[in-house]
Amino acid sequence: MTAAGTGRTLAAAKAHARLVAIDALRGLVMVFMLVDHVRETWFLHMQVTDPVDTTTTDPALFFTRLLSTFCAPTFVALTGLSAWLYGQSHSKAETSMFLLKRGLFLIFLEVTFVGFAWSAQFPPTTFWLQVIWAIGISMIALAGLLHLPRAAQVVLGLVIVLGHNLLDPIRLVPGDAFYEIWAVLHQRSVIQLGGGLIAKTTYPVLPWIGVILLGYATGPWFAKGTDVLVRRRRLILTGCIMLVGFVVIRALNVYGDKPWVAGADTLRTIMAFLSLTKYPPSLLFLLPTVGAGVLLLALFEKYQDSKVMPYLAMFGGAPMFFYLLHLYVLKALYLIAVALYGLNKGQFFGVDNVSTVWIWFALLLVPLYLPTRWFADLKQRRRDIWWLKYL
């Protein structure tokens, strides 16, 4: 093999390692998400508040819930990074159009197939604007913001992520000017749609736009030919800065989230320190979750030859398919349990122990993995089927 051929082979291997790490991290997000959605299926009678009330919540339930907080921030940041990688083989105009169309498609999925999977109600009376909606809106915003200079993207992303909690005191009520817009951007609220229909803005989108923009702005770190060690050092430094920043700002207890109060014992104090606001995600929610994701991305790239990486990457290679599949499987299981045992927890069917959540998670992982692997393979084989890329 010629020197040029060897160079191309090494570059291809580095690019493959980079992409496997990204897909594997996205796959880990999907696995953690499954844990949380199993919890929501069997613990509807013990819904947690936002932030979690650490004085009354069982520690096992708290830490099971805490695991899932890693999911949305990491996934949104990876969505921004993936958009930049997509743009390396497409023009900015093509990338913008793809983001616009996929964002609109995700919004459509949220108010139809995803919404029905949660409610099993048709026609719906409530539209829950949740994480898929937030990703869709963020992609649409990124479709325009990617045309800014990279420095402007970094500054704007940091201003949003670091500063959006300054907007928390602004609380609008129905009838106020711009109430609906504010409910979508930064205030978890209810929008009256008319005809008895309402929309609940569970995931206000402003902070997520900052996260996806910063994810996009880190794209050049992953450019072809970039030194892997340099990229890894940048990721480790960034992740550590975010985690240290979280500890310092949280300890000061003056900004970035609701103040915390020491608990009755050490465990409850740790829980209070880690109890953070997700809706919308506070600065202190985003720092440790995205920071942990950045460190894991560096770790996954370093150990991309590990035997577990292909399995995680398979989940991450077809995330929307897995998302829809697991929601419908969980809803079917819940309805079967209600039919067999009735509503044993007031208005819900539920279980008594968090350990049951983890047992069900373990039981579902392989059955959900097999069809996801089939679909991920189909996406790779049939690139001529244009709509597959949207899943």
Side-chain angles (χ1 to χ4, degrees), residues 102-364:
R102 193 162 194 264
L104 291 171
F105 179 66
L106 291 181
I107 293 171
F108 166 76
L109 286 180
E110 183 72 88
V111 300
T112 54
F113 293 98
V114 174
F116 182 74
W118 283 113
S119 68
Q121 182 184 49
F122 186 83
T125 58
T126 300
F127 294 99
W128 297 85
L129 306 182
Q130 302 192 89
V131 64
I132 303 302
W133 148 272
I135 296 173
I137 293 291
S138 298
M139 293 181 82
I140 292 171
L142 184 59
L145 295 173
L146 65 82
H147 295 279
L148 294 175
R150 182 169 179 247
Q153 293 169 358
V154 173
V155 170
L156 180 58
L158 288 174
V159 167
I160 293 174
V161 170
L162 297 176
H164 77 90
N165 283 118
L166 295 172
L167 303 173
D168 292 347
I170 302 175
R171 303 293 298 178
L172 302 183
V173 298
D176 288 345
F178 308 111
Y179 165 76
E180 290 80 7
I181 294 174
W182 194 239
V184 168
L185 285 176
H186 202 257
Q187 179 177 314
R188 194 181 190 190
S189 194
V190 176
I191 299 174
Q192 298 292 333
L193 302 177
L197 300 177
I198 62 173
K200 293 190 175 183
T201 56
T202 303
Y203 273 71
V205 299
L206 180 60
W208 300 115
I209 292 173
V211 173
I212 200 172
L213 187 56
L214 290 175
Y216 183 87
T218 61
W221 296 359
F222 294 81
K224 292 180 181 178
T226 303
D227 189 301
V228 175
L229 294 179
V230 171
R231 173 167 64 243
R232 197 175 299 153
R233 283 196 296 268
R234 287 172 174 171
L235 291 171
I236 293 172
L237 178 62
T238 300
C240 288
I241 289 173
M242 296 180 78
L243 293 182
V244 171
F246 162 71
V247 172
V248 171
I249 298 172
R250 189 60 165 161
L252 292 174
N253 214 17
V254 294
Y255 178 73
D257 210 313
K258 295 179 175 65
W260 63 280
V261 178
D265 53 36
T266 301
L267 178 59
R268 293 285 174 176
T269 298
I270 293 172
M271 289 167 60
F273 193 85
L274 297 176
S275 182
L276 306 163
T277 303
K278 183 179 181 181
Y279 308 109
S282 67
L283 166 63
L284 290 175
F285 181 91
L286 293 173
L287 283 177
T289 52
V290 177
V294 170
L295 292 176
L296 282 172
L297 187 55
L299 183 69
F300 281 15
E301 187 168 10
K302 181 177 181 179
Y303 295 103
Q304 58 93 22
D305 291 328
S306 168
K307 292 182 179 179
V308 74
M309 289 300 162
Y311 295 100
L312 288 176
M314 195 64 70
F315 281 117
M320 182 52 65
F321 177 85
F322 176 81
Y323 188 84
L324 291 170
L325 175 66
H326 94 281
L327 287 183
Y328 278 89
V329 167
L330 288 174
K331 178 56 68 173
L333 289 172
Y334 179 79
L335 294 176
I336 291 171
V338 170
L340 291 175
Y341 304 108
L343 301 177
N344 64 340
K345 300 290 184 182
Q347 300 179 24
F348 307 105
F349 172 84
V351 297
D352 296 319
N353 299 309
V354 176
S355 59
T356 307
V357 169
W358 287 93
I359 291 170
W360 270 104
F361 160 74
L363 291 173
L364 287 171

Side-chain angles (χ1 to χ4, degrees), residues 51-90:
V52 178
D53 185 348
T54 57
T55 63
T56 59
T57 304
D58 175 65
L61 179 59
F62 174 83
F63 286 105
T64 298
R65 170 62 173 165
L66 184 67
L67 182 67
S68 73
T69 60
F70 167 81
C71 298
T74 301
F75 196 92
V76 173
L78 289 177
T79 300
L81 173 57
S82 297
W84 188 90
L85 292 172
Y86 181 88
Q88 296 313 287
S89 55
H90 299 80

